[in-house]
Amino acid sequence: MWVPDWPVVAAGRGVGEPVAVLEKGKVLATSAAARAEGVRRGQRARDAQSRCPELVVLKYDPVLDARAFDPVIACLEAIIPGVQVIRPGMCALKARGPARFYGSEELAAEKLLDRLETFDIPGSRVGIADGPFAAEQAARGSSAETRIQVVPPGGSPEYLAPLSVDVLEQPVLTDLLRRLGLRSLGAFAQLSRTEVLSRFGPDGAFAHRLACGYDDRAVVGREIPPELVRTLDFEPSVDRVDQVAFAVRTVADELIARLTELGVVCTTLRVEIGTESGRIHEREWLHPRWFTPADVVDRVRWQLQGSGTATSELTSPVVRIRLIPDQVDPVGEHVDGLWGGGPDERIHRALSRVQSMLGHGAVLSVVIGGGRGFAERQTLVPWGDPPVPARDPDQPWPGAITGADPQRWPTLAPTTIFPEPLAAEVFAADGSEVSVTARGELSGAPAAFRLAPAPQVADSNKLHPVIAWAGPWLSTERWWDPATESRQARFQFQTADTRAWLFTLHRTTWQAQATYD
């Protein structure tokens, strides 16, 4: 089944209006009125407008195309199940079952066209053949007077032979075939399969099979996803949290029971709360295992109480609740092992409760991402949100503290990282402060360091002798931006108490970043 000029139909433009849909600056589809003015597919926008100054130019939107075609598929599935969507505006169906039910292939095709006419989709065409490719060409070869074209069984090679090789929709192959003098599918089909495979590769061999009429691709009907969204409307509206929670319990039981029938569990639930004022309070809730009916009711109650309302009264009455399972997984992926090992649900429940009372950003968890220093690798994510770091940890980070090259930097990570770096002074044996040149040369070997007074420093102003040291490792970041440019030298110091320290020198400022216990 083929709907001509579907991108134009999906855009909702008038039948007699000259319209062209553009993709990448070229005409993808045109209306009949535009074609009458000389506008053709593949023309550039300027050429098309020069032929038709009144041309209405639209940008191709594949999302709109597919969304507008969904109701058409549902319309066809109401009378003939097993519809395979080839592209928006074209679909394939098995002919044997409908032909037996309606009496013949032609009668089944007429039933399809009548159904589409009642659905306000005029001008549709139907092609019937042994395979999807030949049936598509038969549908495209039909006319407004003869909207159904049937290729007799076994007659696909003869029907396809006079057609142009352009119908293969492989521009590179088509251009090469034309330069070889093979302008029709029949001429291309006369070539040997072995020679086509060796010369044109697997894509060319597949196109050769289509040209020969040997299209053995099966028609696979789409699987309609189950409807899992549950909606609860309040008439009249409800202005108390306990009343809403009591009513949601029945809907939550239905939702979880439906998920159990399908053998899946919900791990991410989106709750939408519509109020009488017209506002919609929406939030996505995550669960460490899976949601039960009681968990769903609790999330609805917490969302109501955490939106700035009182514990029992709502600032605006609730008119609608929508429960949307955003992520469902097979139940087998969340079964506990022999010795348990599942996440502690009590912790998640308690933190979610605190978050609902204090606000979405009041409870945060740390996600380790990419970066060179410790501070930039930490990303604070609100509790329950997907743990996505700000920087991709899989990207290369030359000069990272825990790099993968042991010759440039040791892979051992520190055990204690200070939330704020500790200011310090590093001295050489003669008592002068150690500095580092741009070439990485030291003014003197580090012999001792002293931490500056700070609340978290217990032994400030105490001189710590350095018995061993390593470095410097130079790191220059964002050298192209003077405002954010950073040049550091990193060191490792070992003290007499068997502890190791990670120090950095930024210009003339020494800082203790972490310790190795």
Side-chain angles (χ1 to χ4, degrees), residues 58-69:
L58 303 176
K59 184 179 179 181
Y60 177 61
D61 187 354
V63 177
L64 174 64
D65 232 22
R67 187 187 301 118
F69 198 58

Side-chain angles (χ1 to χ4, degrees), residues 9 33 37 43 48 59 64-65 94 121 219 234 238 240-241 260 279 292 296 317 323 333 344 353 370 415 495:
V9 176
E37 297 293 334
Q43 289 180 342
K59 184 179 179 181
L64 174 64
D65 232 22
K94 294 182 179 180
I121 305 294
V219 176
F234 294 95
V238 179
R240 292 184 59 89
V241 174
T260 304
R279 296 186 59 187
T292 63
V296 175
L323 305 178
E333 296 183 3
D344 195 336
R353 174 62 172 155
T415 55
T495 54

Side-chain angles (χ1 to χ4, degrees), residues 253-496:
D253 289 336
E254 295 177 358
L255 173 61
I256 301 303
R258 178 56 176 162
L259 294 175
T260 304
E261 293 176 1
L262 298 174
V264 296
V265 293
C266 176
T267 59
T268 303
L269 178 70
R270 190 166 80 250
V271 179
E272 295 181 358
I273 301 176
T275 61
E276 200 173 54
S277 63
R279 296 186 59 187
I280 297 179
H281 302 271
E282 179 182 352
R283 181 176 171 183
E284 191 176 77
W285 295 89
L286 276 69
H287 200 283
R289 301 184 71 185
W290 59 81
F291 282 96
T292 63
D295 295 329
V296 175
V297 175
D298 286 342
R299 268 53 174 190
V300 173
R301 183 187 297 110
W302 296 347
Q303 185 165 331
L304 288 171
Q305 295 175 349
S307 59
T309 61
T311 57
S312 59
E313 299 291 340
L314 299 174
T315 56
S316 181
V318 177
V319 296
R320 172 173 292 186
I321 298 286
R322 295 187 74 226
L323 305 178
I324 307 171
D326 270 358
Q327 181 175 350
V328 293
D329 300 327
V331 66
E333 296 183 3
H334 295 270
V335 176
D336 286 342
L338 181 61
W339 310 108
D344 195 336
E345 186 177 349
R346 294 173 300 174
I347 296 177
H348 181 83
R349 188 181 182 86
L351 294 179
S352 297
R353 174 62 172 155
V354 173
Q355 188 181 42
S356 67
M357 298 171 59
L358 302 181
H360 184 62
V363 182
L364 306 175
S365 59
V366 179
V367 180
I368 304 300
R372 297 176 176 83
F374 295 118
E376 62 181 322
R377 293 185 61 193
Q378 300 177 13
T379 302
L380 297 178
V381 179
W383 182 261
D385 286 4
V388 179
R391 298 175 179 85
D392 188 0
D394 297 329
Q395 295 294 330
W397 294 98
I401 291 180
T402 55
D405 188 357
Q407 297 180 354
R408 300 191 61 186
W409 186 259
T411 57
L412 181 63
T415 55
T416 302
I417 300 173
F418 302 122
E420 293 293 336
L422 306 179
E425 296 176 302
V426 180
F427 304 99
D430 58 359
S432 61
E433 191 169 358
V434 178
S435 61
V436 181
T437 65
R439 295 180 177 272
E441 298 176 354
L442 277 69
S443 61
F449 66 87
R450 180 171 57 202
L451 299 177
Q456 65 271 31
V457 179
D459 51 356
S460 60
N461 292 325
K462 176 183 176 181
L463 204 61
H464 298 268
V466 176
I467 63 175
W469 62 277
W473 291 277
L474 301 180
S475 172
T476 302
E477 303 180 32
R478 295 179 290 273
W479 51 267
W480 59 88
D481 186 2
T484 60
E485 184 269 340
S486 175
R487 179 179 177 85
Q488 293 183 348
R490 298 175 180 140
F491 291 82
Q492 282 180 323
F493 297 152
Q494 183 182 356
T495 54

